[in-house]
Amino acid sequence: MADLLRQGSQWLEQMRTAHCSSPVEYRRPPDAVVVNATYGKTDFEVADESGLTIGSHVWDFLILADALGFEPEPGDVIAADGRRYEVMNLGGDGCWRWSDPYRQTYRIHTKDIGADA
């Protein structure tokens, strides 16, 4: 019997990539690859030494793992819409997480580091 949930998830990921994404350039010097990515955001809170909680967010890019072909690493750069975004660790959670239960799509955490020259 076919796994209908897996098939449905794969179809949704293909539709998201085909209709809700934009081309970006993923850079890991000396190489660069153009892939489609969907923009996202992750909210998080950080507590300082005095117990004060500060809320913020990071820019996320959802990219199919098969399209990227390798695991994201801190320090990689994503160029999109004339801006550069550096892949960064988010607390103790690493620089990416799976965006779906079938491990098809990376949710890559980044910070805006300025205009793309």
Side-chain angles (χ1 to χ4, degrees):
M1 180 175 232
D3 184 343
L4 293 179
L5 289 176
R6 181 182 296 271
Q7 289 175 354
S9 178
Q10 289 170 337
W11 181 83
L12 284 171
E13 288 301 306
Q14 291 169 357
M15 292 301 105
R16 180 194 54 76
T17 301
H19 302 291
C20 301
S21 67
S22 302
V24 301
E25 186 175 67
Y26 193 100
R27 300 173 182 164
R28 179 178 292 165
D31 301 317
V33 60
V34 175
V35 294
N36 284 327
T38 302
Y39 298 88
K41 180 177 86 156
T42 295
D43 295 319
F44 68 98
E45 292 182 347
V46 177
D48 66 10
E49 314 79 49
S50 63
L52 180 65
T53 302
I54 300 168
S56 187
H57 71 272
V58 294
W59 295 105
D60 290 338
F61 290 89
L62 281 70
I63 299 175
L64 289 173
D66 287 345
L68 190 56
F70 51 86
E71 196 171 288
E73 294 179 358
D76 293 349
V77 172
I78 297 173
D81 291 333
R83 307 286 303 165
R84 290 181 307 135
Y85 301 87
E86 183 178 349
V87 177
M88 61 177 262
N89 285 321
L90 185 59
D93 296 333
C95 66
W96 66 274
R97 63 183 162 100
W98 292 112
S99 183
D100 62 285
Y102 298 104
R103 298 178 178 221
Q104 302 171 88
T105 303
Y106 293 127
R107 176 179 277 278
I108 305 168
H109 308 304
T110 68
K111 63 181 174 183
D112 187 333
I113 58 171
D116 191 27

